[in-house]
Amino acid sequence: LGKAAAMTTGAARVAEEETRRGGPPWVLLFADADLEGSAAHLGPLAEPVLAGVADLAVANIPRAASSQGGGRVVRLARGQIETMTGRRVEQPLNGMRVMTREAFGWASPLAAGWGVEAAMLVDVLRAGGRVVEVPVPLTHRATGTDLAGQVHRARQMRDVSRALLERRFRGG
């Protein structure tokens, strides 16, 4: 059913467990599946949210290990998010995030496809959420330059454009 459905299902499961166990509200950690062993470095990403100084923390991966550098889709997302919210986010498409369940609610329903992360930033920022980027030494599989990579980027451009256009016309 896609990434947004998986994220929504996971957040609902966390809410059920939080209610069952009681105690303080839990936070949500989302991570892409291709991090391999570098996922062990996700801990610092949670710190600002757990400390109550951020509602959403986005990993800022060193450029050498990231495909989040300056491609067309990243530049589109970065520019549109800044235009709509006044806030520049260096890696707006990064899937490694920690957020409060309240912030997740601000971003719900989540955008479809590859637009989920960019739309989430717009929604949380427009709701007055505190967003930080945290340097985290993660590595993941970069998209190649072959035909499959070009098709992937075209789909990503389509989904990010669609999600951000919906938010532009929805206003905030």
Side-chain angles (χ1 to χ4, degrees):
L1 298 175
K3 187 171 187 172
M7 293 170 78
T8 301
T9 300
R13 179 67 182 100
V14 167
E16 290 170 10
E17 193 65 19
E18 180 183 284
T19 299
R20 188 178 75 74
R21 291 190 183 191
W26 291 15
V27 299
L28 303 168
L29 178 140
F30 298 105
D32 292 347
D34 62 355
L35 295 178
E36 298 176 342
S38 74
H41 300 289
L42 283 168
L45 187 57
E47 292 173 5
V49 177
L50 292 171
V53 298
D55 301 297
L56 170 61
V58 178
N60 190 313
I61 301 172
R63 201 170 271 211
S66 171
S67 61
Q68 292 280 320
R72 283 185 291 248
V73 184
V74 172
R75 287 193 308 271
L76 167 82
R78 189 183 294 139
Q80 289 301 306
I81 291 166
E82 188 170 7
T83 296
M84 288 188 270
T85 69
R87 176 70 190 280
R88 181 179 173 87
V89 178
E90 288 303 314
Q91 294 188 6
L93 305 181
N94 194 318
M96 284 54 78
R97 294 160 181 246
V98 174
M99 63 194 312
T100 63
R101 284 200 315 104
E102 181 179 29
F104 187 82
W106 297 333
S108 295
L110 299 178
W114 296 103
V116 66
E117 286 89 2
M120 178 185 287
L121 283 164
V122 171
D123 293 341
V124 170
L125 288 166
R126 282 182 170 173
R130 299 162 299 165
V131 174
V132 297
E133 288 187 275
V134 179
V136 186
L138 302 172
T139 58
H140 64 94
R141 184 180 59 249
T143 305
T145 57
D146 60 358
L147 180 58
Q150 295 297 323
V151 170
H152 166 78
R153 279 187 282 285
R155 289 179 177 146
Q156 193 177 33
M157 179 68 86
R158 175 200 65 206
D159 291 353
V160 169
S161 297
R162 181 180 298 148
L164 293 173
L165 273 172
E166 288 171 0
R167 273 136 188 91
R168 178 175 284 288
F169 290 114
R170 187 183 326 158

mmCIF file of all heavy atoms in Angstrom, residues 57-110:
data_model
loop_
_atom_site.group_PDB
_atom_site.id
_atom_site.type_symbol
_atom_site.label_atom_id
_atom_site.label_comp_id
_atom_site.label_asym_id
_atom_site.label_seq_id
_atom_site.Cartn_x
_atom_site.Cartn_y
_atom_site.Cartn_z
ATOM 1 N N ALA A 57 12.529 15.897 13.953
ATOM 2 C CA ALA A 57 13.966 15.943 13.677
ATOM 3 C C ALA A 57 14.221 15.146 12.408
ATOM 4 O O ALA A 57 13.766 14.011 12.273
ATOM 5 C CB ALA A 57 14.755 15.347 14.844
ATOM 6 N N VAL A 58 14.941 15.758 11.475
ATOM 7 C CA VAL A 58 15.265 15.139 10.196
ATOM 8 C C VAL A 58 16.770 14.918 10.143
ATOM 9 O O VAL A 58 17.545 15.817 10.466
ATOM 10 C CB VAL A 58 14.828 16.052 9.018
ATOM 11 C CG1 VAL A 58 15.203 15.435 7.679
ATOM 12 C CG2 VAL A 58 13.342 16.351 9.093
ATOM 13 N N ALA A 59 17.179 13.718 9.746
ATOM 14 C CA ALA A 59 18.610 13.428 9.640
ATOM 15 C C ALA A 59 19.221 14.256 8.515
ATOM 16 O O ALA A 59 18.638 14.404 7.449
ATOM 17 C CB ALA A 59 18.827 11.942 9.374
ATOM 18 N N ASN A 60 20.384 14.787 8.793
ATOM 19 C CA ASN A 60 21.177 15.468 7.781
ATOM 20 C C ASN A 60 22.404 14.591 7.571
ATOM 21 O O ASN A 60 23.301 14.560 8.398
ATOM 22 C CB ASN A 60 21.552 16.875 8.246
ATOM 23 C CG ASN A 60 22.158 17.693 7.136
ATOM 24 O OD1 ASN A 60 23.033 17.225 6.417
ATOM 25 N ND2 ASN A 60 21.696 18.912 6.992
ATOM 26 N N ILE A 61 22.389 13.842 6.498
ATOM 27 C CA ILE A 61 23.428 12.859 6.200
ATOM 28 C C ILE A 61 24.579 13.551 5.472
ATOM 29 O O ILE A 61 24.341 14.346 4.561
ATOM 30 C CB ILE A 61 22.852 11.727 5.321
ATOM 31 C CG1 ILE A 61 21.694 11.043 6.045
ATOM 32 C CG2 ILE A 61 23.933 10.720 4.964
ATOM 33 C CD1 ILE A 61 20.938 10.050 5.177
ATOM 34 N N PRO A 62 25.823 13.243 5.854
ATOM 35 C CA PRO A 62 26.952 13.828 5.120
ATOM 36 C C PRO A 62 26.790 13.608 3.616
ATOM 37 O O PRO A 62 26.420 12.525 3.176
ATOM 38 C CB PRO A 62 28.163 13.052 5.657
ATOM 39 C CG PRO A 62 27.729 12.548 6.984
ATOM 40 C CD PRO A 62 26.242 12.310 6.880
ATOM 41 N N ARG A 63 27.046 14.610 2.854
ATOM 42 C CA ARG A 63 26.795 14.578 1.409
ATOM 43 C C ARG A 63 27.474 13.423 0.692
ATOM 44 O O ARG A 63 26.913 12.840 -0.221
ATOM 45 C CB ARG A 63 27.213 15.894 0.773
ATOM 46 C CG ARG A 63 26.537 16.112 -0.567
ATOM 47 C CD ARG A 63 26.760 17.487 -1.058
ATOM 48 N NE ARG A 63 25.676 18.309 -0.538
ATOM 49 C CZ ARG A 63 25.192 19.343 -1.164
ATOM 50 N NH1 ARG A 63 25.688 19.719 -2.295
ATOM 51 N NH2 ARG A 63 24.199 20.028 -0.657
ATOM 52 N N ALA A 64 28.645 13.037 1.120
ATOM 53 C CA ALA A 64 29.362 11.944 0.453
ATOM 54 C C ALA A 64 28.608 10.628 0.573
ATOM 55 O O ALA A 64 28.747 9.759 -0.274
ATOM 56 C CB ALA A 64 30.757 11.790 1.040
ATOM 57 N N ALA A 65 27.785 10.491 1.616
ATOM 58 C CA ALA A 65 27.066 9.236 1.840
ATOM 59 C C ALA A 65 25.610 9.333 1.433
ATOM 60 O O ALA A 65 24.834 8.428 1.658
ATOM 61 C CB ALA A 65 27.153 8.866 3.324
ATOM 62 N N SER A 66 25.231 10.438 0.829
ATOM 63 C CA SER A 66 23.823 10.693 0.575
ATOM 64 C C SER A 66 23.555 10.995 -0.888
ATOM 65 O O SER A 66 24.353 11.620 -1.561
ATOM 66 C CB SER A 66 23.379 11.886 1.427
ATOM 67 O OG SER A 66 22.084 12.300 1.068
ATOM 68 N N SER A 67 22.387 10.598 -1.342
ATOM 69 C CA SER A 67 21.924 11.028 -2.655
ATOM 70 C C SER A 67 21.036 12.256 -2.497
ATOM 71 O O SER A 67 20.316 12.644 -3.400
ATOM 72 C CB SER A 67 21.156 9.887 -3.340
ATOM 73 O OG SER A 67 20.034 9.523 -2.568
ATOM 74 N N GLN A 68 21.052 12.873 -1.317
ATOM 75 C CA GLN A 68 20.202 14.021 -0.992
ATOM 76 C C GLN A 68 20.883 15.347 -1.312
ATOM 77 O O GLN A 68 20.433 16.379 -0.878
ATOM 78 C CB GLN A 68 19.870 13.989 0.509
ATOM 79 C CG GLN A 68 18.987 12.848 0.914
ATOM 80 C CD GLN A 68 17.546 13.126 0.618
ATOM 81 O OE1 GLN A 68 17.060 14.240 0.798
ATOM 82 N NE2 GLN A 68 16.848 12.138 0.138
ATOM 83 N N GLY A 69 21.961 15.331 -2.013
ATOM 84 C CA GLY A 69 22.759 16.526 -2.246
ATOM 85 C C GLY A 69 22.047 17.639 -2.963
ATOM 86 O O GLY A 69 21.481 18.514 -2.355
ATOM 87 N N GLY A 70 22.052 17.651 -4.270
ATOM 88 C CA GLY A 70 21.516 18.789 -4.985
ATOM 89 C C GLY A 70 20.816 18.431 -6.264
ATOM 90 O O GLY A 70 20.793 19.221 -7.194
ATOM 91 N N GLY A 71 20.263 17.254 -6.346
ATOM 92 C CA GLY A 71 19.534 16.854 -7.540
ATOM 93 C C GLY A 71 18.299 17.702 -7.764
ATOM 94 O O GLY A 71 17.871 18.470 -6.896
ATOM 95 N N ARG A 72 17.733 17.567 -8.946
ATOM 96 C CA ARG A 72 16.562 18.376 -9.312
ATOM 97 C C ARG A 72 15.397 18.220 -8.346
ATOM 98 O O ARG A 72 14.742 19.193 -7.993
ATOM 99 C CB ARG A 72 16.110 18.021 -10.724
ATOM 100 C CG ARG A 72 16.976 18.617 -11.799
ATOM 101 C CD ARG A 72 16.398 18.325 -13.165
ATOM 102 N NE ARG A 72 16.523 16.902 -13.445
ATOM 103 C CZ ARG A 72 17.319 16.396 -14.367
ATOM 104 N NH1 ARG A 72 18.028 17.186 -15.113
ATOM 105 N NH2 ARG A 72 17.396 15.100 -14.548
ATOM 106 N N VAL A 73 15.118 16.997 -7.917
ATOM 107 C CA VAL A 73 13.970 16.777 -7.038
ATOM 108 C C VAL A 73 14.223 17.413 -5.674
ATOM 109 O O VAL A 73 13.337 18.058 -5.107
ATOM 110 C CB VAL A 73 13.640 15.276 -6.887
ATOM 111 C CG1 VAL A 73 12.386 15.080 -6.050
ATOM 112 C CG2 VAL A 73 13.463 14.618 -8.254
ATOM 113 N N VAL A 74 15.432 17.265 -5.163
ATOM 114 C CA VAL A 74 15.776 17.884 -3.878
ATOM 115 C C VAL A 74 15.681 19.396 -3.974
ATOM 116 O O VAL A 74 15.107 20.057 -3.100
ATOM 117 C CB VAL A 74 17.189 17.456 -3.411
ATOM 118 C CG1 VAL A 74 17.618 18.233 -2.182
ATOM 119 C CG2 VAL A 74 17.216 15.965 -3.136
ATOM 120 N N ARG A 75 16.212 19.972 -5.048
ATOM 121 C CA ARG A 75 16.159 21.428 -5.222
ATOM 122 C C ARG A 75 14.713 21.911 -5.329
ATOM 123 O O ARG A 75 14.354 22.948 -4.757
ATOM 124 C CB ARG A 75 16.974 21.860 -6.438
ATOM 125 C CG ARG A 75 18.476 21.770 -6.205
ATOM 126 C CD ARG A 75 19.272 22.485 -7.297
ATOM 127 N NE ARG A 75 18.934 22.086 -8.648
ATOM 128 C CZ ARG A 75 19.498 21.095 -9.324
ATOM 129 N NH1 ARG A 75 20.465 20.389 -8.761
ATOM 130 N NH2 ARG A 75 19.144 20.820 -10.557
ATOM 131 N N LEU A 76 13.870 21.171 -6.056
ATOM 132 C CA LEU A 76 12.452 21.528 -6.153
ATOM 133 C C LEU A 76 11.816 21.532 -4.772
ATOM 134 O O LEU A 76 11.166 22.502 -4.374
ATOM 135 C CB LEU A 76 11.706 20.536 -7.055
ATOM 136 C CG LEU A 76 10.179 20.644 -6.968
ATOM 137 C CD1 LEU A 76 9.684 21.776 -7.845
ATOM 138 C CD2 LEU A 76 9.513 19.342 -7.335
ATOM 139 N N ALA A 77 12.002 20.438 -4.032
ATOM 140 C CA ALA A 77 11.389 20.330 -2.708
ATOM 141 C C ALA A 77 11.908 21.420 -1.779
ATOM 142 O O ALA A 77 11.125 22.090 -1.094
ATOM 143 C CB ALA A 77 11.655 18.945 -2.121
ATOM 144 N N ARG A 78 13.211 21.602 -1.748
ATOM 145 C CA ARG A 78 13.814 22.602 -0.870
ATOM 146 C C ARG A 78 13.245 23.994 -1.171
ATOM 147 O O ARG A 78 12.845 24.725 -0.273
ATOM 148 C CB ARG A 78 15.329 22.584 -1.053
ATOM 149 C CG ARG A 78 16.085 23.421 -0.056
ATOM 150 C CD ARG A 78 17.577 23.412 -0.347
ATOM 151 N NE ARG A 78 18.154 22.096 -0.147
ATOM 152 C CZ ARG A 78 19.061 21.546 -0.963
ATOM 153 N NH1 ARG A 78 19.489 22.178 -2.036
ATOM 154 N NH2 ARG A 78 19.543 20.349 -0.713
ATOM 155 N N GLY A 79 13.204 24.352 -2.450
ATOM 156 C CA GLY A 79 12.707 25.673 -2.834
ATOM 157 C C GLY A 79 11.237 25.874 -2.532
ATOM 158 O O GLY A 79 10.832 26.927 -2.034
ATOM 159 N N GLN A 80 10.421 24.872 -2.825
ATOM 160 C CA GLN A 80 8.980 25.002 -2.577
ATOM 161 C C GLN A 80 8.663 25.041 -1.079
ATOM 162 O O GLN A 80 7.793 25.795 -0.648
ATOM 163 C CB GLN A 80 8.215 23.865 -3.252
ATOM 164 C CG GLN A 80 8.171 23.977 -4.758
ATOM 165 C CD GLN A 80 7.517 25.270 -5.194
ATOM 166 O OE1 GLN A 80 6.393 25.575 -4.789
ATOM 167 N NE2 GLN A 80 8.207 26.047 -6.004
ATOM 168 N N ILE A 81 9.361 24.230 -0.299
ATOM 169 C CA ILE A 81 9.150 24.255 1.153
ATOM 170 C C ILE A 81 9.524 25.629 1.700
ATOM 171 O O ILE A 81 8.790 26.210 2.508
ATOM 172 C CB ILE A 81 9.951 23.129 1.846
ATOM 173 C CG1 ILE A 81 9.342 21.779 1.485
ATOM 174 C CG2 ILE A 81 9.992 23.329 3.359
ATOM 175 C CD1 ILE A 81 10.221 20.588 1.809
ATOM 176 N N GLU A 82 10.640 26.158 1.234
ATOM 177 C CA GLU A 82 11.060 27.487 1.703
ATOM 178 C C GLU A 82 10.059 28.558 1.285
ATOM 179 O O GLU A 82 9.708 29.438 2.074
ATOM 180 C CB GLU A 82 12.457 27.815 1.181
ATOM 181 C CG GLU A 82 13.026 29.085 1.771
ATOM 182 C CD GLU A 82 14.500 29.291 1.446
ATOM 183 O OE1 GLU A 82 15.075 28.517 0.656
ATOM 184 O OE2 GLU A 82 15.070 30.254 1.998
ATOM 185 N N THR A 83 9.550 28.476 0.064
ATOM 186 C CA THR A 83 8.555 29.443 -0.408
ATOM 187 C C THR A 83 7.272 29.366 0.423
ATOM 188 O O THR A 83 6.694 30.391 0.789
ATOM 189 C CB THR A 83 8.233 29.191 -1.894
ATOM 190 O OG1 THR A 83 9.419 29.418 -2.661
ATOM 191 C CG2 THR A 83 7.119 30.095 -2.392
ATOM 192 N N MET A 84 6.838 28.164 0.743
ATOM 193 C CA MET A 84 5.565 27.990 1.462
ATOM 194 C C MET A 84 5.667 28.212 2.963
ATOM 195 O O MET A 84 4.660 28.536 3.595
ATOM 196 C CB MET A 84 4.998 26.598 1.193
ATOM 197 C CG MET A 84 4.449 26.440 -0.213
ATOM 198 S SD MET A 84 3.586 24.870 -0.413
ATOM 199 C CE MET A 84 4.923 23.835 -0.956
ATOM 200 N N THR A 85 6.865 28.042 3.531
ATOM 201 C CA THR A 85 6.971 28.099 4.993
ATOM 202 C C THR A 85 7.983 29.113 5.501
ATOM 203 O O THR A 85 8.011 29.402 6.692
ATOM 204 C CB THR A 85 7.366 26.722 5.571
ATOM 205 O OG1 THR A 85 8.709 26.427 5.192
ATOM 206 C CG2 THR A 85 6.414 25.635 5.113
ATOM 207 N N GLY A 86 8.842 29.608 4.611
ATOM 208 C CA GLY A 86 9.901 30.509 5.041
ATOM 209 C C GLY A 86 11.086 29.796 5.664
ATOM 210 O O GLY A 86 12.006 30.428 6.173
ATOM 211 N N ARG A 87 11.072 28.493 5.636
ATOM 212 C CA ARG A 87 12.121 27.702 6.286
ATOM 213 C C ARG A 87 12.875 26.873 5.249
ATOM 214 O O ARG A 87 12.267 26.182 4.439
ATOM 215 C CB ARG A 87 11.469 26.776 7.309
ATOM 216 C CG ARG A 87 12.399 25.835 8.006
ATOM 217 C CD ARG A 87 13.334 26.576 8.984
ATOM 218 N NE ARG A 87 14.338 25.649 9.437
ATOM 219 C CZ ARG A 87 14.160 24.743 10.375
ATOM 220 N NH1 ARG A 87 12.998 24.677 11.000
ATOM 221 N NH2 ARG A 87 15.120 23.930 10.694
ATOM 222 N N ARG A 88 14.210 26.935 5.294
ATOM 223 C CA ARG A 88 15.046 26.135 4.393
ATOM 224 C C ARG A 88 15.444 24.847 5.106
ATOM 225 O O ARG A 88 15.977 24.887 6.209
ATOM 226 C CB ARG A 88 16.295 26.904 3.983
ATOM 227 C CG ARG A 88 17.184 26.129 3.029
ATOM 228 C CD ARG A 88 18.397 26.961 2.628
ATOM 229 N NE ARG A 88 19.340 26.187 1.858
ATOM 230 C CZ ARG A 88 19.301 26.027 0.536
ATOM 231 N NH1 ARG A 88 18.339 26.603 -0.164
ATOM 232 N NH2 ARG A 88 20.213 25.312 -0.094
ATOM 233 N N VAL A 89 15.206 23.735 4.460
ATOM 234 C CA VAL A 89 15.598 22.430 4.983
ATOM 235 C C VAL A 89 16.553 21.826 3.961
ATOM 236 O O VAL A 89 16.202 21.669 2.796
ATOM 237 C CB VAL A 89 14.368 21.517 5.207
ATOM 238 C CG1 VAL A 89 14.784 20.154 5.704
ATOM 239 C CG2 VAL A 89 13.393 22.172 6.186
ATOM 240 N N GLU A 90 17.753 21.511 4.411
ATOM 241 C CA GLU A 90 18.787 21.040 3.499
ATOM 242 C C GLU A 90 18.448 19.705 2.849
ATOM 243 O O GLU A 90 18.710 19.504 1.673
ATOM 244 C CB GLU A 90 20.141 20.936 4.216
ATOM 245 C CG GLU A 90 20.748 22.283 4.528
ATOM 246 C CD GLU A 90 20.931 23.149 3.301
ATOM 247 O OE1 GLU A 90 21.423 22.663 2.258
ATOM 248 O OE2 GLU A 90 20.553 24.339 3.359
ATOM 249 N N GLN A 91 17.896 18.764 3.612
ATOM 250 C CA GLN A 91 17.603 17.434 3.071
ATOM 251 C C GLN A 91 16.118 17.121 3.252
ATOM 252 O O GLN A 91 15.732 16.276 4.062
ATOM 253 C CB GLN A 91 18.498 16.385 3.731
ATOM 254 C CG GLN A 91 19.956 16.589 3.369
ATOM 255 C CD GLN A 91 20.840 15.463 3.844
ATOM 256 O OE1 GLN A 91 20.411 14.451 4.366
ATOM 257 N NE2 GLN A 91 22.133 15.636 3.638
ATOM 258 N N PRO A 92 15.272 17.789 2.476
ATOM 259 C CA PRO A 92 13.819 17.678 2.667
ATOM 260 C C PRO A 92 13.226 16.325 2.313
ATOM 261 O O PRO A 92 12.101 16.019 2.718
ATOM 262 C CB PRO A 92 13.265 18.762 1.742
ATOM 263 C CG PRO A 92 14.306 18.873 0.655
ATOM 264 C CD PRO A 92 15.618 18.664 1.363
ATOM 265 N N LEU A 93 13.956 15.496 1.573
ATOM 266 C CA LEU A 93 13.416 14.200 1.161
ATOM 267 C C LEU A 93 13.953 13.052 2.000
ATOM 268 O O LEU A 93 13.634 11.894 1.740
ATOM 269 C CB LEU A 93 13.718 13.956 -0.320
ATOM 270 C CG LEU A 93 13.244 15.044 -1.275
ATOM 271 C CD1 LEU A 93 13.577 14.669 -2.713
ATOM 272 C CD2 LEU A 93 11.766 15.323 -1.107
ATOM 273 N N ASN A 94 14.722 13.382 3.000
ATOM 274 C CA ASN A 94 15.331 12.365 3.836
ATOM 275 C C ASN A 94 14.254 11.602 4.606
ATOM 276 O O ASN A 94 13.411 12.193 5.272
ATOM 277 C CB ASN A 94 16.303 13.045 4.803
ATOM 278 C CG ASN A 94 17.221 12.076 5.458
ATOM 279 O OD1 ASN A 94 16.803 11.003 5.872
ATOM 280 N ND2 ASN A 94 18.474 12.456 5.566
ATOM 281 N N GLY A 95 14.303 10.279 4.545
ATOM 282 C CA GLY A 95 13.300 9.450 5.207
ATOM 283 C C GLY A 95 13.595 9.144 6.657
ATOM 284 O O GLY A 95 12.768 8.561 7.353
ATOM 285 N N MET A 96 14.768 9.519 7.145
ATOM 286 C CA MET A 96 15.113 9.248 8.532
ATOM 287 C C MET A 96 14.664 10.421 9.384
ATOM 288 O O MET A 96 15.226 11.512 9.309
ATOM 289 C CB MET A 96 16.627 9.016 8.685
ATOM 290 C CG MET A 96 17.091 7.645 8.208
ATOM 291 S SD MET A 96 16.650 7.183 6.518
ATOM 292 C CE MET A 96 17.842 8.089 5.571
ATOM 293 N N ARG A 97 13.626 10.150 10.206
ATOM 294 C CA ARG A 97 12.985 11.204 10.983
ATOM 295 C C ARG A 97 12.525 10.666 12.321
ATOM 296 O O ARG A 97 12.153 9.508 12.430
ATOM 297 C CB ARG A 97 11.738 11.718 10.249
ATOM 298 C CG ARG A 97 12.081 12.403 8.960
ATOM 299 C CD ARG A 97 10.928 12.487 7.998
ATOM 300 N NE ARG A 97 11.432 13.140 6.806
ATOM 301 C CZ ARG A 97 11.034 14.331 6.382
ATOM 302 N NH1 ARG A 97 10.072 14.956 7.004
ATOM 303 N NH2 ARG A 97 11.566 14.875 5.328
ATOM 304 N N VAL A 98 12.494 11.545 13.302
ATOM 305 C CA VAL A 98 11.873 11.261 14.593
ATOM 306 C C VAL A 98 10.903 12.398 14.851
ATOM 307 O O VAL A 98 11.225 13.565 14.633
ATOM 308 C CB VAL A 98 12.912 11.165 15.732
ATOM 309 C CG1 VAL A 98 12.231 11.008 17.080
ATOM 310 C CG2 VAL A 98 13.870 9.999 15.481
ATOM 311 N N MET A 99 9.698 12.028 15.306
ATOM 312 C CA MET A 99 8.697 13.060 15.540
ATOM 313 C C MET A 99 7.747 12.667 16.660
ATOM 314 O O MET A 99 7.621 11.492 16.991
ATOM 315 C CB MET A 99 7.920 13.341 14.252
ATOM 316 C CG MET A 99 7.123 12.177 13.718
ATOM 317 S SD MET A 99 6.523 12.369 12.008
ATOM 318 C CE MET A 99 5.809 13.982 11.964
ATOM 319 N N THR A 100 7.088 13.674 17.203
ATOM 320 C CA THR A 100 6.058 13.410 18.192
ATOM 321 C C THR A 100 4.821 12.881 17.482
ATOM 322 O O THR A 100 4.631 13.109 16.279
ATOM 323 C CB THR A 100 5.676 14.689 18.957
ATOM 324 O OG1 THR A 100 5.110 15.631 18.030
ATOM 325 C CG2 THR A 100 6.893 15.313 19.658
ATOM 326 N N ARG A 101 3.984 12.208 18.244
ATOM 327 C CA ARG A 101 2.724 11.754 17.634
ATOM 328 C C ARG A 101 1.845 12.955 17.298
ATOM 329 O O ARG A 101 1.086 12.920 16.340
ATOM 330 C CB ARG A 101 2.011 10.760 18.544
ATOM 331 C CG ARG A 101 2.688 9.405 18.479
ATOM 332 C CD ARG A 101 1.865 8.223 18.930
ATOM 333 N NE ARG A 101 1.126 8.379 20.147
ATOM 334 C CZ ARG A 101 -0.203 8.578 20.216
ATOM 335 N NH1 ARG A 101 -0.928 8.644 19.134
ATOM 336 N NH2 ARG A 101 -0.804 8.688 21.380
ATOM 337 N N GLU A 102 1.960 14.033 18.057
ATOM 338 C CA GLU A 102 1.201 15.242 17.743
ATOM 339 C C GLU A 102 1.620 15.796 16.380
ATOM 340 O O GLU A 102 0.773 16.145 15.555
ATOM 341 C CB GLU A 102 1.407 16.296 18.828
ATOM 342 C CG GLU A 102 0.624 17.569 18.568
ATOM 343 C CD GLU A 102 0.807 18.616 19.648
ATOM 344 O OE1 GLU A 102 1.866 18.659 20.297
ATOM 345 O OE2 GLU A 102 -0.123 19.422 19.825
ATOM 346 N N ALA A 103 2.918 15.861 16.138
ATOM 347 C CA ALA A 103 3.406 16.338 14.841
ATOM 348 C C ALA A 103 2.965 15.417 13.719
ATOM 349 O O ALA A 103 2.625 15.872 12.624
ATOM 350 C CB ALA A 103 4.932 16.470 14.856
ATOM 351 N N PHE A 104 2.939 14.114 13.994
ATOM 352 C CA PHE A 104 2.452 13.173 12.985
ATOM 353 C C PHE A 104 0.993 13.502 12.635
ATOM 354 O O PHE A 104 0.604 13.454 11.471
ATOM 355 C CB PHE A 104 2.580 11.726 13.491
ATOM 356 C CG PHE A 104 2.265 10.706 12.443
ATOM 357 C CD1 PHE A 104 3.211 10.328 11.515
ATOM 358 C CD2 PHE A 104 1.009 10.120 12.376
ATOM 359 C CE1 PHE A 104 2.922 9.394 10.531
ATOM 360 C CE2 PHE A 104 0.709 9.181 11.404
ATOM 361 C CZ PHE A 104 1.668 8.817 10.479
ATOM 362 N N GLY A 105 0.216 13.855 13.635
ATOM 363 C CA GLY A 105 -1.177 14.247 13.396
ATOM 364 C C GLY A 105 -1.288 15.487 12.526
ATOM 365 O O GLY A 105 -2.170 15.578 11.675
ATOM 366 N N TRP A 106 -0.388 16.438 12.717
ATOM 367 C CA TRP A 106 -0.406 17.651 11.891
ATOM 368 C C TRP A 106 -0.159 17.319 10.424
ATOM 369 O O TRP A 106 -0.654 18.012 9.538
ATOM 370 C CB TRP A 106 0.657 18.641 12.346
ATOM 371 C CG TRP A 106 0.486 19.164 13.739
ATOM 372 C CD1 TRP A 106 -0.685 19.295 14.445
ATOM 373 C CD2 TRP A 106 1.522 19.618 14.602
ATOM 374 N NE1 TRP A 106 -0.429 19.801 15.692
ATOM 375 C CE2 TRP A 106 0.922 20.005 15.815
ATOM 376 C CE3 TRP A 106 2.905 19.719 14.478
ATOM 377 C CZ2 TRP A 106 1.652 20.509 16.891
ATOM 378 C CZ3 TRP A 106 3.633 20.223 15.540
ATOM 379 C CH2 TRP A 106 3.008 20.610 16.730
ATOM 380 N N ALA A 107 0.619 16.270 10.179
ATOM 381 C CA ALA A 107 0.981 15.885 8.813
ATOM 382 C C ALA A 107 0.015 14.876 8.205
ATOM 383 O O ALA A 107 0.176 14.490 7.049
ATOM 384 C CB ALA A 107 2.394 15.309 8.802
ATOM 385 N N SER A 108 -0.965 14.463 8.970
ATOM 386 C CA SER A 108 -1.904 13.435 8.502
ATOM 387 C C SER A 108 -3.153 14.066 7.912
ATOM 388 O O SER A 108 -3.599 15.103 8.397
ATOM 389 C CB SER A 108 -2.295 12.526 9.667
ATOM 390 O OG SER A 108 -1.155 11.820 10.118
ATOM 391 N N PRO A 109 -3.719 13.450 6.871
ATOM 392 C CA PRO A 109 -3.238 12.243 6.210
ATOM 393 C C PRO A 109 -1.959 12.537 5.427
ATOM 394 O O PRO A 109 -1.790 13.609 4.867
ATOM 395 C CB PRO A 109 -4.385 11.847 5.276
ATOM 396 C CG PRO A 109 -5.115 13.125 5.004
ATOM 397 C CD PRO A 109 -4.943 13.970 6.242
ATOM 398 N N LEU A 110 -1.085 11.562 5.414
ATOM 399 C CA LEU A 110 0.199 11.710 4.740
ATOM 400 C C LEU A 110 0.026 11.726 3.224
ATOM 401 O O LEU A 110 -0.883 11.092 2.689
ATOM 402 C CB LEU A 110 1.133 10.558 5.127
ATOM 403 C CG LEU A 110 1.487 10.436 6.606
ATOM 404 C CD1 LEU A 110 2.374 9.214 6.821
ATOM 405 C CD2 LEU A 110 2.149 11.684 7.136
#
